[in-house]
Amino acid sequence: MTLIAMLGLPWALAGFCHVFIDPDAPYARAGLAAGFWVVLFVFMLALIELKGRLRLPRGSWWGVGAMMLGSWALALASGVLDKLSLMQEYLGRSDKFIDALAYHSLLVASAVGVSLVWGFCLALAMRRWSRLERGINGVLSLIQTIPSLALFGLLLAPLAWLADRFDWLAAIGVQGIGAAPALIALVGYSLLPMTRNTFVALADVDPGVIESARGMGMSPRQVFLQVRLPLALPVLIEGVRITSVQAIGLAAVAALIGAGGLGTFVFQGLGQAAMDLVLLGALPIIVMAVVVDGLLTALAGALRQGARDD
């Protein structure tokens, strides 16, 4: 019953718009009031409860999610929801929205990719020289305590000075505002979970397995690449998941320093007291975070299951 209600929700909205909005009033629109969000929240809680009780195979719930997204996508593509004020905001800014979504995704992917490389290198350094562990964790933890807006602000002056002093930095886009401070701040916030999870993942591999690999004549390089790293991947993926979800949210705040992305719509809407414009930026961020979280959780689970089977 809950699944049917979730599948029918966009079509119920379409029916409401058809019945209550005068087709002869071209500027009339329907807003999503608090009741809609309460109903959606209750249905989502019901689905979560059902997932915990029914214990269906993992693939079944991916199918349920695909059906719900497909129902919404079909309703949106058919135009039956065009009278919603949220859709009117999108239709008036569709080109900017697509550019913002692509830019937001690129900024997050760049931050996660850079932090993955640096976090892996720092974790290896901590394993090689144990005295570095306390210092590295201390510095990365300190960065985490700085509020995001404060960190963005702290980066403005030094980056502007560097761009003014070195022409090649300005030529590649480094300046006091924009993508450069946003990327640096996102990488800084991402390094702690990435480094810590990588370090724990590599350290928690069963010593007996490592000894068995050495007993088979494997070199240290082979032990690391063929035994330790594959067994550590599930926990390492958890670090990527935490980092990615965190970066998706923080990238919205970066719009305040001219970095662009979906946060632009959020802050424009707040400035104009236009909640539909706020939702135009906030809802894709939420969906993106949920999808990335689900995909990486499923990947980590599959890797764990594969390790057990082996």
Side-chain angles (χ1 to χ4, degrees):
M1 186 64 183
T2 302
L3 177 58
I4 294 174
M6 289 293 289
L7 293 175
L9 191 57
W11 304 101
L13 285 175
F16 176 87
C17 295
H18 178 75
V19 171
F20 290 98
I21 295 181
D22 186 356
D24 296 327
Y27 297 106
R29 57 177 68 181
L32 298 176
F36 169 81
W37 301 111
V38 170
V39 169
L40 183 62
F41 179 70
V42 170
F43 283 155
M44 293 301 295
L45 285 180
L47 281 178
I48 293 172
E49 181 67 18
L50 285 173
K51 182 180 178 182
R53 287 174 178 268
L54 296 180
R55 303 292 182 182
L56 295 177
R58 191 186 305 271
S60 300
W61 291 109
W62 281 107
V64 170
M67 285 193 295
M68 289 190 295
L69 288 177
S71 180
W72 278 98
L74 182 60
L76 292 171
S78 64
V80 296
L81 297 178
D82 285 354
K83 285 296 184 178
L84 290 177
S85 53
L86 179 59
M87 281 301 299
Q88 290 295 315
E89 293 288 356
Y90 167 74
L91 293 173
R93 298 172 171 84
S94 58
D95 292 339
K96 292 181 179 179
F97 176 83
I98 294 172
D99 291 341
L101 180 61
Y103 186 88
H104 197 102
S105 302
L106 179 61
L107 183 60
V108 170
S110 301
V112 173
V114 172
S115 64
L116 176 59
V117 174
W118 277 98
F120 194 81
C121 293
L122 289 174
L124 291 180
M126 289 161 57
R127 285 184 52 79
R128 177 66 177 83
W129 299 285
S130 58
R131 289 177 296 179
L132 293 177
E133 182 178 352
R134 179 175 296 180
I136 291 175
N137 282 328
V139 172
L140 298 182
S141 297
L142 177 63
I143 295 174
Q144 287 282 335
T145 63
I146 304 174
S148 56
L149 284 178
L151 184 57
F152 289 139
L154 289 172
L155 291 171
L156 297 183
L159 288 177
W161 179 82
L162 287 172
D164 182 66
R165 183 156 186 134
F166 300 100
D167 293 337
W168 65 271
L169 287 176
I172 63 175
V174 174
Q175 53 183 335
I177 61 174
L183 181 60
I184 293 173
L186 289 177
V187 170
Y189 281 120
S190 300
L191 276 176
L192 179 63
M194 193 73 78
T195 302
R196 183 172 293 173
N197 273 63
T198 303
F199 180 80
V200 170
L202 294 174
D204 283 355
V205 176
D206 188 354
V209 177
I210 302 299
E211 288 300 322
S212 298
R214 290 171 178 164
M216 295 172 61
M218 286 187 175
S219 66
R221 181 185 180 88
Q222 289 175 321
V223 170
F224 180 80
L225 293 178
Q226 299 180 24
V227 179
R228 187 181 294 276
L229 185 58
L231 292 176
L233 272 180
V235 180
L236 198 153
I237 293 297
E238 285 294 327
V240 176
R241 180 184 65 82
I242 295 169
T243 301
S244 300
V245 173
Q246 176 181 272
I248 289 170
L250 287 175
V253 183
L256 288 174
I257 57 169
L262 294 168
T264 303
F265 299 117
V266 175
F267 293 110
Q268 283 180 357
L270 291 174
Q272 301 171 16
M275 291 310 300
D276 291 305
L277 188 55
V278 174
L279 291 173
L280 184 64
L283 288 179
I285 293 174
I286 295 171
V287 172
M288 191 186 304
V290 170
V291 170
V292 168
D293 180 80
L295 290 174
L296 291 177
T297 299
L299 177 59
L303 289 173
R304 286 194 182 94
Q305 186 61 45
R308 294 192 194 101
D309 295 340
D310 292 342

